[in-house]
Amino acid sequence: MTTPNLDLLDNLAIELPSWAFGNSGTRFKVFGTPGTPRTVHEKIADAAKVNELTGLAPTVALHIPWDRVDDYGALRTYAQDLGVRLGTINSNTFQDDDYKFGSLTHTDKTVRQKAIDHHIECIEVMNATGSRDLKIWLADGTNYPGQGDIRGRQDRLAESLATIYQHIGDEQRLVLEYKFFEPATYVTDVPDWGTSYVHVTALGERAMVCLDTGHHAPGTNIEFIVAQLLRLGRLGSFDFNSRFYADDDLIVGAADPFQLFRILFEVIRGGGIDLGSPVALMLDQCHNVEEKIPGQIRSVLNVEEMTARALLVDTDSLAAAQETGDVLGANGILMDAFYTDVRPLLARRRAERGLPTDPMAAYAASGHAARIAEQRVGGTQSSWGA
Amino acid sequence: MTTPNLDLLDNLAIELPSWAFGNSGTRFKVFGTPGTPRTVHEKIADAAKVNELTGLAPTVALHIPWDRVDDYGALRTYAQDLGVRLGTINSNTFQDDDYKFGSLTHTDKTVRQKAIDHHIECIEVMNATGSRDLKIWLADGTNYPGQGDIRGRQDRLAESLATIYQHIGDEQRLVLEYKFFEPATYVTDVPDWGTSYVHVTALGERAMVCLDTGHHAPGTNIEFIVAQLLRLGRLGSFDFNSRFYADDDLIVGAADPFQLFRILFEVIRGGGIDLGSPVALMLDQCHNVEEKIPGQIRSVLNVEEMTARALLVDTDSLAAAQETGDVLGANGILMDAFYTDVRPLLARRRAERGLPTDPMAAYAASGHAARIAEQRVGGTQSSWGA
Amino acid sequence: MTTPNLDLLDNLAIELPSWAFGNSGTRFKVFGTPGTPRTVHEKIADAAKVNELTGLAPTVALHIPWDRVDDYGALRTYAQDLGVRLGTINSNTFQDDDYKFGSLTHTDKTVRQKAIDHHIECIEVMNATGSRDLKIWLADGTNYPGQGDIRGRQDRLAESLATIYQHIGDEQRLVLEYKFFEPATYVTDVPDWGTSYVHVTALGERAMVCLDTGHHAPGTNIEFIVAQLLRLGRLGSFDFNSRFYADDDLIVGAADPFQLFRILFEVIRGGGIDLGSPVALMLDQCHNVEEKIPGQIRSVLNVEEMTARALLVDTDSLAAAQETGDVLGANGILMDAFYTDVRPLLARRRAERGLPTDPMAAYAASGHAARIAEQRVGGTQSSWGA
Amino acid sequence: MTTPNLDLLDNLAIELPSWAFGNSGTRFKVFGTPGTPRTVHEKIADAAKVNELTGLAPTVALHIPWDRVDDYGALRTYAQDLGVRLGTINSNTFQDDDYKFGSLTHTDKTVRQKAIDHHIECIEVMNATGSRDLKIWLADGTNYPGQGDIRGRQDRLAESLATIYQHIGDEQRLVLEYKFFEPATYVTDVPDWGTSYVHVTALGERAMVCLDTGHHAPGTNIEFIVAQLLRLGRLGSFDFNSRFYADDDLIVGAADPFQLFRILFEVIRGGGIDLGSPVALMLDQCHNVEEKIPGQIRSVLNVEEMTARALLVDTDSLAAAQETGDVLGANGILMDAFYTDVRPLLARRRAERGLPTDPMAAYAASGHAARIAEQRVGGTQSSWGA
């Protein structure tokens, strides 16, 4: 038996999305909660709190325009003072009336240019924040058969992306996310990993695929896609979350912990958490009825726990069982690791690093929730709208 | 061959939802359009326009509180003056902060009572408007395993419904809609026809199931459920719309016209459009990127066309083919009807009744869209929020 | 905190299907393995081996005609001598040419009578074997729209079932299974729990629903159905297995262990493993590429482990968290139990009962597989065909 | 308005699979029918009958080893004498015991070599039959997590395909089919178009993707994939069929005629039926309960009718509506074509070409079914097994 090497856990770093700390919900209702940030500064402070308690979340992703500020350099310093760095810059081309029928794919050159310019602005933000990744999740699509020309939209998308890519710096990357559906209900212009892959390979080496774990058709084997993209050298980042139905944006690991385990097993198998790996791990969730800061703490802990379990797999024995067609033996080796309770081990690991052994309990005990609820009165709570 | 009896088309009446004329969209963005109603009166006027051009939509469903007015008797008269009647009253227990964790199923008796009282208010509205049906679509559910007690929620739901049902008048009905998921992402408390059926049969004879065509798991055979509920005498109403993925709320017949045909074939087979049938046909759609009034016109025409096609099925020959195991013959008889272009016939039928032969073209030519865009300036456009 | 009461594990008894020990596969290929039983006696011997090593599987379900013998009394004695009892009798109306277009639903009265007579034969078998349950899984359905009359098929089904039910003894039960699709590809005549429920309630108190965990539409919340059927007093039995896509018939718990945990939590919540519970737990799997006897051992252990985890849930704290809307707290209490490694505890429990602590290892070490491979030479290996 | 150019119908040629004339079914039962071919010669004769009556099916695909003969040159002549040509050669690596754990992906080099050699044999058959395409549908995959190394299987697959590709002649092509699942139930090694695309582009210009319309996850927008693959120049062929649930292999157009229309619209849009197009149209169906020869006639007629409808789309007006954001207008233009009854027009077209105006009726009237039922007595009816 190989000795499990949990040292790889040291490489684990999970980026938090600023918007997870704002209000979000469904088309039916967005519930607000006391203490919700009004500004990007408060969002970053919340993210820093998660990192303080877990040691797992050193960076915060921003969303433009939701997190637009006048001085990104100052924001960068602000974050660093709180112990975190600014990470991925996410663009937004789905909330302007101009984008009703598309952005990078629009038939109207003026609208396409506006969307391209927005991405160039995002790259300028990246230059100021020191961010590496521009992440493009494109809401473009159509709702009715005939509404748009599927093929023409692809061609325009390719052209728009190529224009944006010219502005990506040598140390920067363009990461293209795909999504099965929503908000579009008939055609989504980047609906699957194949489409994202085709576009990023056409762009160049600094273009990568982003895999959001909630963005697939029912039944899709996500770990297969992880393995394939790692094999092809094009897995740029994850948007972690979980789902029972559509893009539910639940806490990662909440709906199907075994799936998360299998995904992380393939990440490790493909070198995705090795030092220097091109794979960025990020959360993308929508805390609808649950508390936000503990929701993010729970999420990064889930990723850590499942990574630890996946690292416990006895890969030598597994390979041997696979080669002899020992189906139950191979499956049993995997399940042994999954069923091992790594929580005590991780608690000790935290203690060794000066972190609270139980970050959820530590947060609850800290009185932080009550404090921000008291302090953050007045103003407008952040949400997807702003 | 039996002569198709298109006379049943005379019984066709499709209720329009007032909210279809307001703005609606996705959690990402709601697009407004010029001319969108600001008041329930303007919504009713729009519905009346659809009925004027098609002769198919004699009633308008209201949604409380979105359509709350001081004087429902006056609203009833207003509608009648425009040639339509007020129809189903739809309750809303998903937009108050109190309902974050449930309404009729809530663990807190106070919240349950508030939700019950809301329904009693709706019944009072019905008394004033002369409406027959109280429709309950319940957003209640949970997002995470463990969040709620599945069984206890059912028991409380049964109790709350029983209390409401006591207020339903002798000529009134309680219609309980089911939905696979959304807004809840883990448990939905009325997720399938079986659950709705169990509750309405426990209530009494004036409780019925509402079938929304967009509220099923992928692959569900909806016409089977239609046939089953008609057989059981519990199909109270339809919410028509269509979908490719989730509850997309697209124009009925837009995503899968053949499915609509099969559904209407079973409706006819089960007596659902016979005189005196208990089945109410209603639209429930969300016009996100398309024009609203023509969207509703297109919808009622789709139902009419597919009903006509379904009426063309040579049921005697079909029964003979079914009994001899002639699979291709039986299927061919059905397809023959589906593939028959009934549009010329329906155009003639409209002409005979003094209706425009092409209602979509008539609306476009009428200048009505420009007129309301000019008139309806200022105020707040109606949406799900108000 | 409540003390978890693992005593309920003593009530755990999981019925094994005789056919799990025979060959089975897909429409593309059925792989045979050395040692596969040729007779029902050898199947029972294999089931007895599973029970010997686990103490969890005291009964064996038979399938007629696959397990037809001349003397069922002798078979009963044979089983008892091996330490197991004969359990549920499963009928088969899908392998005769007569049933090409249906059995209990067929338009031809002769075919329906043949299918009814087959069930009466099954009841006679039950009388001889001392079995309580007649389980009906009906393959009836149609492949093409128009092929059959959906409504008429339901009526004939109801009539056929009523005739069969008249023969069910006072201590016997009729259990009606539902399935989303397969082998039928358009209409399945008993496709969902609602349909099964409607039929069994029409029959009488000794008719119950059978829930096969692999027989649902994608995304269906199975634990909800479990909770609902227990609430209604109509959950008669489970067919356990697991799936990623369709009716994959994989080892229970293999595809989504957390789902199995949630299902068993609701079983416990609803009294399903209390003494005297009407719920029969049974496996229904198809070991396609994996070894059969260890496949069954693994399956019963999975059910045992997940039951133990579900029994660990601190239900008092859970109820408290649910009532205060503490979403993350409630979810955390559930997950705590799920993530607890109960395997050492169960190993001790086995040792106390004189069972091998690791039944999988014990089987592997026993040489039994090699022994039966050597002994069972010649004859025809059992499969679904015989 | 553009004049619809139905001349493109002249290019329509739909390849028939020899195996569609043999028996096939589900894992539960395969029903035989009188007149089913016993030999590849009889299968080809049946295919020729379909072509004789429709003029649409000039080629027949063979499946090796099911259609293995000693003298392929003689078979070629035999087919030509009946007015058809031999088409695509389909390999089979799923029915030998050696392939239980994979073929081209197997960990054992000997098994991989056996599978490679089988494909080289197929290429030799192609040389003798004059076939252009080698089609590889790979059943390889795993049923349980851990059973195989996902990544390693991809690497071995790539290597095996490269070896086979070296044998593909200058005028020949390798066409790689993908399938969502079945027979594998956890990982399928070529599960989606992206994976097939990645492999064929690695091979070279004579490697293409095969799109089977029944091989996708629920809700997948197939016409998008068609448009994308045509855009990328890698759509080699279609396997037409239709489905409600899984890979039901029903008659193309039977489950969702509007989907078939949309697919064919994109085929035309992308030049897929232009002269010299690389896209081969083929059926791949499994006539389980319906008659086989009329099943194939119905299928090619469905493709013809939907192609005609798709050709009726007024593409100039459509483009104009798309560019002005006229959602309902654009959708209406598409639907107008879909709802047009082209059957009279196609009947006239057939008459002009000396074909029966109603091929289904002509077959029924021909007495051919009775004739072959009488002639084909004795021997073993062909099926997937042989």
Side-chain angles (χ1 to χ4, degrees):
Chain A
M1 176 179 162
T2 42
T3 311
N5 186 355
L6 291 187
D7 293 352
L8 276 178
L9 281 182
D10 293 342
N11 298 346
L12 209 59
I14 303 153
E15 187 159 306
L16 306 185
S18 69
W19 56 94
F21 300 98
N23 294 322
S24 57
T26 71
R27 60 177 172 149
F28 295 97
K29 170 73 174 172
V30 173
F31 294 99
T33 42
T36 295
R38 286 88 39 96
T39 64
V40 61
H41 296 82
E42 290 177 353
K43 295 184 210 172
I44 291 172
D46 287 359
K49 173 59 73 177
V50 175
N51 189 47
E52 174 197 327
L53 294 171
T54 64
L56 290 166
T59 58
V60 190
L62 301 183
H63 187 114
I64 307 299
W66 299 343
D67 296 324
R68 206 177 256 156
V69 292
D70 288 335
D71 185 344
Y72 289 99
L75 194 69
R76 185 181 185 170
T77 307
Y78 170 81
Q80 282 168 345
D81 291 347
L82 291 171
V84 292
R85 295 191 313 282
L86 301 179
T88 302
I89 302 299
N90 294 262
S91 62
N92 176 326
T93 58
F94 52 88
Q95 290 191 316
D96 276 21
D97 286 336
D98 282 343
Y99 299 139
K100 186 172 184 178
F101 299 115
S103 63
L104 298 179
T105 67
H106 204 288
T107 52
D108 183 341
K109 195 174 169 37
T110 321
V111 179
R112 290 203 302 280
Q113 191 59 49
K114 172 177 169 170
I116 290 168
D117 289 344
H118 169 64
H119 285 92
I120 295 173
E121 179 201 345
C122 288
I123 295 171
E124 284 160 8
V125 172
M126 291 163 67
N127 295 337
T129 54
S131 300
R132 180 184 59 169
D133 289 354
L134 171 65
K135 186 163 70 191
I136 305 181
W137 167 63
L138 210 62
D140 286 32
T142 59
N143 284 7
Y144 286 96
Q147 180 187 331
D149 176 26
I150 298 175
R151 168 87 174 252
R153 295 176 72 94
Q154 286 299 308
D155 293 336
R156 292 190 293 274
L157 172 59
E159 191 188 278
S160 297
L161 287 173
T163 308
I164 294 167
Y165 188 71
Q166 291 169 3
H167 295 263
I168 294 286
D170 287 348
E171 306 298 317
Q172 294 174 338
R173 310 190 307 175
L174 183 160
V175 183
L176 182 61
E177 187 167 340
Y178 61 91
K179 184 173 184 180
F180 186 48
F181 81 98
E182 197 209 23
T185 55
Y186 167 55
V187 165
T188 293
D189 291 307
V190 189
D192 51 24
W193 76 265
T195 298
S196 180
Y197 175 79
V198 160
H199 281 291
V200 301
T201 49
L203 291 176
E205 296 203 345
R206 281 162 296 128
M208 307 285 278
V209 176
C210 172
L211 185 158
D212 182 304
T213 48
H215 288 189
H216 301 86
T220 300
N221 185 324
I222 298 174
E223 57 268 31
F224 175 88
I225 301 175
V226 170
Q228 183 70 276
L229 285 172
L230 280 164
R231 177 180 172 266
L232 297 167
R234 290 288 180 171
L235 182 58
S237 61
F238 276 97
D239 270 9
F240 280 128
N241 51 57
S242 74
R243 49 163 274 180
F244 288 99
Y245 302 97
D247 183 31
D248 303 340
D249 279 331
L250 300 177
I251 286 173
V252 56
D256 186 349
F258 182 45
Q259 183 187 56
L260 178 59
F261 169 83
R262 299 192 310 265
I263 289 172
L264 287 166
F265 178 77
E266 291 303 325
V267 170
I268 295 163
R269 165 69 177 89
I273 58 168
D274 288 351
L275 269 188
S277 153
V279 182
L281 308 182
M282 190 180 139
L283 303 182
D284 182 14
Q285 299 174 177
C286 161
H287 298 307
N288 191 357
V289 297
E290 69 273 28
E291 296 294 311
K292 289 147 192 161
I293 295 177
Q296 293 286 293
I297 295 173
R298 179 76 279 157
S299 300
V300 298
L301 296 180
N302 281 356
V303 174
E304 185 191 33
E305 286 183 23
M306 280 304 158
T307 305
R309 281 180 170 84
L311 286 169
L312 290 183
V313 175
D314 178 350
T315 50
D316 288 353
S317 301
L318 182 63
Q322 289 171 344
E323 283 177 28
T324 54
D326 179 5
V327 177
L328 292 171
N331 177 247
I333 290 162
L334 204 75
M335 300 314 291
D336 256 358
F338 175 68
Y339 283 137
T340 301
D341 193 346
V342 296
R343 294 174 302 173
L345 181 154
L346 292 177
R348 280 197 303 275
R349 215 176 157 276
R350 281 182 207 111
E352 291 163 14
R353 282 156 178 76
L355 292 163
T357 54
D358 181 343
M360 290 292 283
Y363 181 77
S366 73
H368 188 259
R371 211 147 47 234
I372 57 175
E374 210 175 307
Q375 289 166 354
R376 297 176 182 174
V377 172
T380 305
Q381 295 194 334
S382 294
S383 74
W384 287 12
Chain B
M1 176 178 162
T2 43
T3 310
N5 186 355
L6 292 187
D7 293 352
L8 278 178
L9 281 182
D10 294 342
N11 298 346
L12 209 58
I14 303 153
E15 188 160 305
L16 305 186
S18 68
W19 56 95
F21 300 98
N23 294 322
S24 58
T26 71
R27 60 176 171 149
F28 295 97
K29 169 74 175 172
V30 173
F31 294 100
T33 42
T36 295
R38 284 91 35 99
T39 65
V40 61
H41 296 82
E42 290 178 353
K43 295 185 208 172
I44 292 172
D46 286 359
K49 173 58 73 176
V50 175
N51 189 47
E52 174 197 327
L53 295 172
T54 63
L56 290 166
T59 58
V60 190
L62 300 184
H63 188 114
I64 306 299
W66 299 343
D67 296 324
R68 209 175 254 156
V69 292
D70 289 335
D71 185 344
Y72 290 99
L75 193 69
R76 183 181 187 170
T77 307
Y78 171 81
Q80 282 168 348
D81 290 348
L82 291 171
V84 293
R85 295 189 314 280
L86 300 180
T88 302
I89 302 301
N90 294 262
S91 62
N92 176 326
T93 56
F94 52 88
Q95 290 190 316
D96 276 21
D97 285 337
D98 282 342
Y99 299 140
K100 186 171 183 177
F101 299 115
S103 63
L104 297 179
T105 66
H106 204 289
T107 51
D108 183 340
K109 196 175 168 40
T110 321
V111 179
R112 289 205 301 280
Q113 191 59 50
K114 173 178 168 169
I116 290 168
D117 289 344
H118 169 65
H119 284 92
I120 294 173
E121 179 202 345
C122 287
I123 295 170
E124 285 160 7
V125 172
M126 291 163 68
N127 295 336
T129 54
S131 299
R132 180 184 57 169
D133 290 353
L134 170 66
K135 187 164 69 192
I136 305 180
W137 167 63
L138 209 63
D140 286 31
T142 59
N143 285 7
Y144 285 96
Q147 180 187 332
D149 175 26
I150 299 176
R151 169 87 173 253
R153 295 175 71 94
Q154 286 299 307
D155 293 337
R156 293 189 292 274
L157 173 59
E159 190 186 280
S160 297
L161 287 173
T163 308
I164 295 168
Y165 188 72
Q166 291 169 4
H167 297 262
I168 294 285
D170 287 348
E171 306 298 316
Q172 294 174 339
R173 310 189 307 175
L174 183 159
V175 183
L176 182 61
E177 189 167 339
Y178 61 91
K179 184 174 185 179
F180 186 49
F181 81 99
E182 198 211 21
T185 56
Y186 167 55
V187 165
T188 293
D189 291 306
V190 190
D192 51 25
W193 78 264
T195 298
S196 179
Y197 174 80
V198 160
H199 283 290
V200 302
T201 49
L203 292 176
E205 295 204 344
R206 282 163 295 127
M208 308 285 278
V209 176
C210 173
L211 186 159
D212 183 305
T213 49
H215 288 189
H216 302 86
T220 301
N221 185 324
I222 298 174
E223 57 268 29
F224 175 88
I225 300 174
V226 170
Q228 184 71 277
L229 286 172
L230 280 163
R231 175 178 173 268
L232 298 167
R234 290 287 181 170
L235 183 58
S237 61
F238 276 98
D239 270 8
F240 279 127
N241 52 56
S242 75
R243 49 164 273 180
F244 288 99
Y245 303 97
D247 184 31
D248 303 340
D249 278 332
L250 299 178
I251 287 172
V252 56
D256 186 348
F258 182 45
Q259 183 187 56
L260 178 59
F261 168 84
R262 300 192 309 264
I263 289 171
L264 288 166
F265 178 77
E266 290 303 324
V267 170
I268 296 164
R269 165 70 176 88
I273 59 169
D274 288 351
L275 268 187
S277 153
V279 183
L281 308 182
M282 190 180 138
L283 302 182
D284 182 13
Q285 298 173 180
C286 161
H287 298 306
N288 190 357
V289 297
E290 68 274 27
E291 295 294 311
K292 289 146 191 160
I293 296 177
Q296 292 286 293
I297 296 174
R298 177 76 279 158
S299 301
V300 298
L301 296 179
N302 281 356
V303 174
E304 185 191 33
E305 287 183 23
M306 280 304 157
T307 306
R309 281 180 170 84
L311 286 168
L312 290 182
V313 174
D314 178 350
T315 50
D316 288 354
S317 301
L318 182 64
Q322 288 171 343
E323 285 178 25
T324 55
D326 180 5
V327 177
L328 292 171
N331 177 248
I333 289 162
L334 204 76
M335 300 314 291
D336 257 359
F338 175 67
Y339 283 138
T340 301
D341 192 345
V342 296
R343 293 173 302 174
L345 182 154
L346 293 176
R348 279 198 303 277
R349 214 175 157 277
R350 282 181 206 112
E352 290 163 15
R353 282 155 178 77
L355 292 162
T357 53
D358 182 341
M360 289 292 282
Y363 181 76
S366 73
H368 187 259
R371 212 147 44 235
I372 56 175
E374 209 173 310
Q375 290 166 354
R376 297 176 181 174
V377 172
T380 304
Q381 295 194 335
S382 295
S383 74
W384 288 11
Chain C
M1 176 178 163
T2 43
T3 311
N5 187 354
L6 291 188
D7 293 352
L8 277 178
L9 282 181
D10 294 341
N11 299 344
L12 209 58
I14 304 153
E15 187 158 306
L16 306 186
S18 69
W19 55 95
F21 300 98
N23 294 322
S24 57
T26 71
R27 59 177 172 148
F28 295 98
K29 170 74 175 172
V30 173
F31 294 100
T33 41
T36 296
R38 284 89 38 98
T39 64
V40 61
H41 296 81
E42 290 177 353
K43 294 185 210 173
I44 291 172
D46 287 358
K49 173 60 73 175
V50 175
N51 189 48
E52 174 196 326
L53 294 171
T54 64
L56 291 166
T59 58
V60 191
L62 301 183
H63 188 115
I64 306 299
W66 300 342
D67 296 324
R68 207 176 256 156
V69 292
D70 288 335
D71 185 344
Y72 289 98
L75 194 68
R76 185 181 186 170
T77 307
Y78 170 81
Q80 283 169 345
D81 290 348
L82 291 170
V84 293
R85 295 190 314 281
L86 300 179
T88 302
I89 301 301
N90 293 262
S91 62
N92 176 326
T93 58
F94 53 87
Q95 290 190 316
D96 276 20
D97 286 337
D98 282 343
Y99 298 140
K100 185 172 183 177
F101 299 116
S103 62
L104 298 179
T105 67
H106 203 289
T107 52
D108 184 339
K109 196 175 169 37
T110 321
V111 178
R112 290 204 301 281
Q113 191 60 49
K114 173 177 169 171
I116 290 168
D117 290 343
H118 168 64
H119 285 92
I120 295 173
E121 179 202 345
C122 287
I123 295 170
E124 284 161 6
V125 171
M126 291 163 68
N127 295 336
T129 55
S131 300
R132 180 183 59 169
D133 290 353
L134 171 66
K135 187 162 69 191
I136 305 181
W137 167 63
L138 209 62
D140 286 32
T142 59
N143 284 6
Y144 286 96
Q147 179 187 333
D149 176 25
I150 298 175
R151 168 87 173 253
R153 296 175 72 93
Q154 287 298 308
D155 294 337
R156 291 189 294 274
L157 173 59
E159 192 187 279
S160 297
L161 288 172
T163 308
I164 294 167
Y165 188 71
Q166 290 170 4
H167 296 262
I168 294 286
D170 287 348
E171 306 299 317
Q172 294 174 339
R173 310 190 306 176
L174 183 160
V175 183
L176 183 60
E177 187 167 340
Y178 61 91
K179 184 174 184 180
F180 187 48
F181 82 99
E182 198 211 20
T185 56
Y186 168 55
V187 165
T188 293
D189 291 307
V190 189
D192 51 25
W193 77 265
T195 297
S196 179
Y197 175 79
V198 160
H199 282 291
V200 300
T201 49
L203 291 176
E205 296 202 345
R206 283 163 294 127
M208 307 286 278
V209 176
C210 172
L211 186 158
D212 182 305
T213 49
H215 288 189
H216 302 86
T220 300
N221 185 323
I222 298 174
E223 57 269 30
F224 175 88
I225 301 175
V226 170
Q228 183 71 276
L229 285 173
L230 280 164
R231 176 179 173 266
L232 298 166
R234 290 288 181 171
L235 183 57
S237 61
F238 276 97
D239 270 9
F240 280 128
N241 52 56
S242 75
R243 49 163 273 181
F244 288 98
Y245 303 96
D247 184 31
D248 303 339
D249 279 331
L250 300 177
I251 287 173
V252 57
D256 186 348
F258 182 45
Q259 183 187 56
L260 178 58
F261 169 83
R262 300 192 311 265
I263 289 171
L264 287 166
F265 179 77
E266 290 304 325
V267 170
I268 295 163
R269 165 70 176 89
I273 58 167
D274 288 350
L275 269 188
S277 154
V279 183
L281 307 183
M282 189 180 139
L283 303 182
D284 182 12
Q285 298 175 177
C286 160
H287 299 305
N288 190 359
V289 297
E290 69 273 27
E291 295 294 310
K292 289 146 192 161
I293 295 176
Q296 293 285 293
I297 296 173
R298 178 75 279 157
S299 301
V300 298
L301 295 180
N302 282 356
V303 174
E304 185 191 33
E305 287 183 24
M306 281 305 157
T307 305
R309 281 181 171 85
L311 286 169
L312 291 183
V313 175
D314 178 351
T315 51
D316 287 353
S317 301
L318 182 64
Q322 288 171 344
E323 282 177 27
T324 55
D326 179 5
V327 178
L328 291 171
N331 177 248
I333 290 161
L334 205 74
M335 300 315 291
D336 257 359
F338 175 67
Y339 283 137
T340 301
D341 193 345
V342 296
R343 294 174 300 174
L345 182 152
L346 293 177
R348 280 197 304 276
R349 215 175 156 277
R350 281 182 207 111
E352 291 162 14
R353 283 155 178 76
L355 292 163
T357 54
D358 182 343
M360 290 292 283
Y363 181 76
S366 73
H368 187 258
R371 210 147 46 235
I372 56 176
E374 209 174 308
Q375 290 165 353
R376 296 175 182 175
V377 171
T380 304
Q381 295 194 334
S382 294
S383 74
W384 288 12
Chain D
M1 176 180 162
T2 43
T3 311
N5 187 355
L6 292 187
D7 292 352
L8 278 178
L9 281 182
D10 293 343
N11 299 345
L12 209 58
I14 303 152
E15 188 159 305
L16 306 185
S18 68
W19 56 94
F21 300 99
N23 294 322
S24 57
T26 70
R27 61 177 170 148
F28 295 97
K29 169 75 175 171
V30 174
F31 294 100
T33 42
T36 296
R38 284 93 32 102
T39 64
V40 62
H41 296 83
E42 290 177 353
K43 295 185 208 172
I44 291 173
D46 285 0
K49 173 58 74 174
V50 175
N51 190 47
E52 173 196 327
L53 294 171
T54 64
L56 290 166
T59 57
V60 191
L62 300 184
H63 188 114
I64 306 298
W66 300 343
D67 296 324
R68 209 175 255 156
V69 292
D70 288 335
D71 185 345
Y72 289 99
L75 194 69
R76 184 181 186 170
T77 307
Y78 171 81
Q80 281 168 347
D81 290 348
L82 291 171
V84 293
R85 296 189 313 280
L86 301 179
T88 302
I89 301 300
N90 294 262
S91 62
N92 176 326
T93 57
F94 53 88
Q95 291 191 316
D96 276 21
D97 286 337
D98 282 342
Y99 299 140
K100 186 173 183 178
F101 300 115
S103 63
L104 297 179
T105 66
H106 203 290
T107 51
D108 183 339
K109 197 176 167 40
T110 321
V111 178
R112 289 205 301 281
Q113 191 59 49
K114 172 177 170 170
I116 291 168
D117 290 344
H118 169 64
H119 285 92
I120 294 172
E121 178 202 346
C122 287
I123 295 171
E124 284 160 8
V125 172
M126 290 163 68
N127 295 337
T129 54
S131 300
R132 180 185 57 169
D133 291 354
L134 170 66
K135 187 163 69 190
I136 304 180
W137 167 63
L138 209 62
D140 286 32
T142 58
N143 284 7
Y144 286 95
Q147 180 187 332
D149 176 26
I150 299 176
R151 169 87 173 253
R153 295 175 72 94
Q154 287 299 307
D155 293 336
R156 293 190 292 274
L157 173 59
E159 191 188 278
S160 297
L161 287 173
T163 307
I164 295 167
Y165 188 71
Q166 290 169 4
H167 296 263
I168 294 285
D170 287 348
E171 306 298 316
Q172 294 173 338
R173 310 191 306 176
L174 183 160
V175 183
L176 182 61
E177 189 166 339
Y178 60 91
K179 184 174 183 179
F180 186 48
F181 82 98
E182 197 210 21
T185 56
Y186 168 56
V187 165
T188 293
D189 291 306
V190 189
D192 52 23
W193 76 265
T195 298
S196 179
Y197 175 79
V198 159
H199 283 291
V200 301
T201 49
L203 291 176
E205 295 203 345
R206 283 163 295 127
M208 307 286 278
V209 176
C210 172
L211 187 159
D212 183 304
T213 48
H215 288 190
H216 301 86
T220 300
N221 185 324
I222 298 174
E223 56 269 30
F224 175 88
I225 300 175
V226 170
Q228 184 71 278
L229 285 173
L230 280 163
R231 176 179 172 267
L232 298 167
R234 291 287 180 169
L235 183 58
S237 62
F238 276 97
D239 270 8
F240 280 128
N241 52 56
S242 74
R243 50 164 273 179
F244 287 98
Y245 303 96
D247 184 32
D248 303 340
D249 279 330
L250 300 177
I251 287 173
V252 57
D256 186 348
F258 183 44
Q259 183 187 56
L260 178 59
F261 169 83
R262 300 191 311 264
I263 288 171
L264 287 166
F265 179 76
E266 291 303 325
V267 170
I268 295 163
R269 164 70 176 89
I273 60 168
D274 288 352
L275 268 187
S277 153
V279 183
L281 307 181
M282 191 180 138
L283 303 181
D284 181 13
Q285 299 173 178
C286 161
H287 298 307
N288 190 356
V289 297
E290 69 274 27
E291 296 293 312
K292 289 147 192 160
I293 295 177
Q296 292 286 293
I297 295 174
R298 178 76 279 157
S299 301
V300 298
L301 295 179
N302 281 356
V303 174
E304 185 191 34
E305 286 183 23
M306 280 304 158
T307 305
R309 282 180 171 85
L311 286 168
L312 290 182
V313 174
D314 178 351
T315 50
D316 287 353
S317 300
L318 181 64
Q322 289 170 343
E323 284 178 26
T324 54
D326 180 5
V327 178
L328 291 171
N331 177 249
I333 289 162
L334 204 74
M335 300 314 290
D336 257 359
F338 176 68
Y339 284 137
T340 302
D341 192 345
V342 296
R343 293 174 301 173
L345 183 154
L346 293 176
R348 280 198 303 277
R349 215 175 157 276
R350 281 182 207 111
E352 289 164 16
R353 282 154 177 78
L355 293 162
T357 53
D358 181 343
M360 289 292 282
Y363 180 77
S366 73
H368 187 258
R371 213 147 46 235
I372 56 177
E374 210 175 309
Q375 290 166 353
R376 298 175 181 175
V377 172
T380 304
Q381 295 194 335
S382 295
S383 75
W384 287 13

